[in-house]
Amino acid sequence: MAKRLYIVSSGAGGTSYITPEATKAIENSEVIVSYSKYARELKELLKEKEVYTSGMTHEIQRCNQAIQYAKSGKTTSIISNGDVNVYGMATLIVEIMDEKDLWDEIELISLPGVTSFLAAASKAGAPVSQDFSIISLSDRLTDINLIDKRVKAALECDFVLGIYNPKSKKRIKPYQNFLKALENGYENRITIIASNVGRVEKEKITITTAQDLINKDIEHEAVSMSTLIIICNSNSKLTKNNQVLTPRGYLNKYELDGELK
């Protein structure tokens, strides 16, 4: 099929986590469609490409433009930060393709990527070895009451909890509700605050506690829209070198030499 559209995961910030498969898709594309910030970060990969960019909240326009380029016969990539299926562009592209019934006209290829949740976890130690949940606090498309319900359920189920889009300058209520949920017995949970993951010069990983978040409320200097928060579960602990460890449970069942206890 000549008309091809890639949904490309660029990984967690910058170019550190982009996969060879994603890089190859960009190389094979004639046109790149991207959020302006991501295009700037990938500028070395986009040389000599036709590039269409737009700002925040213009996701539908970008998706429609990418589809239009592909329909015209140009191999096209639309860039999505992190992984295309984790608050990325895959869902919207697929939804529009389905609404317009373009499946016989365009070959759609979705390429996975390394999320900031996974990248931050690796940098902090080994905090995500048990079941986990990921929740976005952005209520732009999701009802705030549903967000609150999901946060409460994840904490009650003792998941390792990843929080995307905690707060912006104007959108603070979901974050305040999140902090109130932490006050119900989760104050001592080890907490990882990761900002600008993958963006080497700006990246900052802080290991603290949920109480630190609660104490500083909406004024926490490390928390913004570029921040990922990981609330560890009740089994998580700090290692001797101050890394985060959530034991899988091996040493409850086995000796250090591998023999059953």
Side-chain angles (χ1 to χ4, degrees):
M1 185 180 292
K3 298 176 180 179
R4 178 173 292 178
L5 174 58
Y6 293 100
I7 317 174
V8 175
S9 300
S10 62
T15 58
S16 300
Y17 296 101
I18 191 166
T19 68
E21 186 180 40
T23 300
K24 185 176 180 180
I26 291 174
E27 290 175 353
N28 291 339
S29 295
E30 299 166 78
V31 183
I32 307 297
V33 177
S34 175
Y35 171 46
S36 304
K37 180 180 180 181
Y38 304 152
R40 290 194 297 270
E41 292 179 342
L42 300 175
K43 62 182 180 181
E44 292 303 314
L45 299 178
L46 307 186
K47 289 180 178 179
E48 300 180 3
K49 301 292 182 182
E50 181 179 351
V51 180
Y52 173 91
T53 63
S54 60
M56 189 72 73
T57 75
H58 290 81
E59 293 86 0
I60 293 178
Q61 291 91 327
R62 283 199 296 278
C63 287
N64 278 321
Q65 187 62 63
I67 289 170
Q68 189 57 45
Y69 280 127
K71 283 182 66 177
S72 73
K74 294 182 177 180
T75 300
T76 303
S77 284
I78 183 166
I79 305 295
S80 189
N81 190 238
D83 180 271
V84 296
N85 271 291
V86 182
Y87 312 119
M89 303 301 287
T91 178
L92 186 52
I93 284 283
V94 170
E95 194 168 16
I96 293 174
M97 288 273 293
D98 204 48
E99 287 291 322
K100 295 184 177 182
D101 194 15
L102 296 173
W103 300 116
D104 292 332
E105 190 170 349
I106 297 174
E107 180 185 8
L108 186 66
I109 301 173
S110 182
L111 302 179
V114 179
T115 66
S116 58
F117 176 77
L118 297 175
S122 293
K123 289 176 178 290
V128 189
S129 63
Q130 293 188 359
D131 296 336
F132 63 88
S133 175
I134 296 175
I135 298 173
S136 170
L137 297 189
S138 173
D139 61 346
R140 187 165 73 90
L141 300 174
T142 304
D143 182 77
I144 188 172
N145 295 309
L146 182 56
I147 294 172
D148 295 343
K149 182 179 180 180
R150 288 171 173 168
V151 167
K152 181 180 178 182
L155 290 171
E156 288 179 348
C157 289
D158 204 22
F159 285 123
V160 175
L161 175 57
I163 296 293
Y164 277 71
N165 306 313
K167 70 178 180 70
S168 63
K169 292 181 179 179
K170 295 181 179 180
R171 183 183 50 73
I172 60 173
K173 184 62 175 175
Y175 182 67
Q176 289 177 313
N177 291 353
F178 163 66
L179 295 179
K180 288 180 181 177
L182 292 176
E183 292 176 346
N184 294 318
Y186 308 102
E187 297 90 341
N188 294 325
R189 293 290 173 86
I190 295 172
T191 296
I192 301 162
I193 306 174
S195 301
N196 293 297
V197 179
R199 299 175 177 95
V200 180
E201 294 180 358
K202 295 181 179 180
E203 181 182 87
K204 184 177 181 182
I205 310 291
T206 302
I207 298 173
T208 181
T209 65
Q211 188 65 62
D212 174 46
L213 295 178
I214 295 167
N215 290 345
K216 295 180 180 177
D217 196 46
I218 62 171
E219 302 300 327
H220 202 297
E221 65 281 358
V223 179
S224 70
M225 279 293 286
S226 298
T227 302
L228 170 84
I229 299 171
I230 300 177
I231 306 293
C232 295
N233 73 14
S234 60
N235 293 314
S236 302
K237 60 183 181 180
L238 293 180
T239 63
K240 294 180 179 65
N241 67 336
N242 291 316
Q243 292 283 287
V244 182
L245 168 64
T246 302
R248 184 74 175 90
Y250 286 104
L251 297 188
N252 293 331
K253 187 174 182 179
Y254 299 96
E255 300 290 353
L256 286 174
D257 61 5
E259 294 295 320
L260 280 170
K261 287 186 176 180

